């Protein structure tokens, strides 16, 4: 499949920035849902795949362009996989309507402390859905295992990055450069599969 223009079906600037970086070396014009003033798609699915498909297929229909939906989230073992598909909504909203992830991380650490458990293991999952008008949607998945740390650290990345330490490293994702994060992250791993399929 030859992609010339790709719409990222997300209004999450952190996510869009990572996706732009991952596709920078390919000859494809990447535009975001914000760039095209496309509507927000309500995430009514109960799995990452359902939501990724929903975002990509809705905006592909709306724009007539190939669209990439990314649904991702943090699954914490001691919380039975929560917040999972509800990771964005786990963050309380500030007065300006923006999600506050600083408060979300405090809430998460508070929940784990209350559980009085030593098991702070967690993973990030990412499902990418590539919807091209008149074609079958393609789906690519990635996952990274690690643990939640009790102190936030680092100022790079977005979302829960300051409290997530991937297995095999002694620093949180918020201390990784974008290139380092892309090599091991859930999104980087899902993208490696997409790139193999669409750009190799
Ligand atoms: P959604 O896929 O737009 O529903 O949002 C996913 C949410 O999961 C984000 O708002 C973040 O809170 C969290 N998340 C997904 N990927 C990452 C990541 O790479 N780092 C940190 N948080 C992430």
């Amino acid at each position: 499949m030859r992609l010339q223009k790709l719409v990222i079906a997300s209004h999450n600037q952190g996510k869009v920035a990572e996706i732009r970086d991952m596709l920078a070396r390919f000859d494809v014009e990447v535009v975001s849902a914000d760039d095209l003033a496309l509507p927000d798609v309500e995430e009514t699915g109960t799995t990452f795949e359902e939501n990724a498909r929903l975002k990509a297929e809705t905006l592909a229909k709306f724009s007539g362009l190939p669209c990439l939906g990314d649904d991702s989230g943090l699954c914490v073992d001691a919380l039975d996989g929560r917040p999972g598909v509800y990771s964005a909504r786990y963050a309380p909203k500030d007065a300006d309507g923006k999600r506050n992830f600083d408060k979300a991380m405090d809430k998460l650490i508070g929940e784990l402390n209350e559980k009085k458990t030593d098991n702070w293991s967690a993973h990030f999952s990412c499902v990418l859905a590539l919807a091209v008008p008149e074609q079958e949607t393609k789906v690519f998945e990635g996952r990274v295992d690690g643990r939640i740390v009790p102190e936030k650290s680092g100022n790079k990345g977005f979302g829960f990055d300051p409290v997530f330490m991937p297995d095999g490293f002694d620093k949180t994702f918020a201390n990784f450069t974008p290139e380092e994060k892309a090599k091991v992250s859930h999104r980087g791993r899902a993208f490696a599969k997409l790139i193999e399929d669409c750009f190799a």
Side-chain angles (χ1 to χ4, degrees), residues 17-197:
E18 282 192 8
I19 295 174
R20 271 191 205 284
D21 274 0
M22 289 181 197
L23 294 176
R25 65 196 158 103
F26 300 103
D27 187 19
V28 55
E29 185 191 347
V30 175
V31 290
S32 74
D34 272 349
D35 294 336
L36 299 181
L38 295 173
D40 222 351
V41 178
E42 210 193 330
E43 296 182 15
T44 53
T46 54
T47 64
F48 293 118
E49 181 172 340
E50 271 182 79
N51 282 334
R53 281 181 181 272
L54 196 63
K55 289 186 258 193
E57 289 171 0
T58 307
L59 293 194
K61 229 178 243 163
F62 198 91
S63 67
L65 293 166
C67 281
L68 184 69
D70 165 320
D71 202 58
S72 44
L74 179 65
C75 305
V76 180
D77 292 346
L79 303 180
D80 301 321
R82 281 193 303 112
V85 287
Y86 304 103
S87 292
R89 287 162 274 181
Y90 185 80
K93 277 189 182 170
D94 282 337
D96 62 3
K98 290 211 174 104
R99 298 279 178 190
N100 186 323
F101 282 95
D102 211 43
K103 286 188 184 157
M105 289 183 278
D106 291 342
K107 184 168 137 188
L108 184 66
I109 291 165
E111 275 206 75
L112 283 168
N113 277 326
E114 262 176 38
K115 285 263 171 195
K116 301 201 187 312
T117 174
D118 289 338
N119 179 12
W120 285 43
S121 60
H123 67 268
F124 272 121
S125 275
C126 172
V127 175
L128 299 173
L130 179 61
V132 178
E134 316 299 334
Q135 291 184 27
E136 280 280 302
T137 298
K138 290 186 173 188
V139 170
F140 308 91
E141 297 185 21
R143 166 180 171 146
V144 57
D145 291 288
R147 63 191 165 93
I148 304 301
V149 293
E151 298 283 336
K152 291 173 233 169
S153 161
N155 55 13
K156 299 187 186 73
F158 69 98
F160 294 94
D161 280 344
V163 293
F164 183 81
M165 197 176 281
D167 286 347
F169 294 86
D170 60 0
K171 59 183 183 181
T172 66
F173 263 168
N175 289 290
F176 280 55
T177 64
E179 296 74 28
E180 284 174 330
K181 185 179 169 189
K183 280 189 192 139
V184 290
S185 77
H186 49 314
R187 189 164 298 102
R189 287 176 174 162
F191 258 92
K193 294 178 189 170
L194 179 144
I195 286 167
E196 175 71 26
D197 191 272

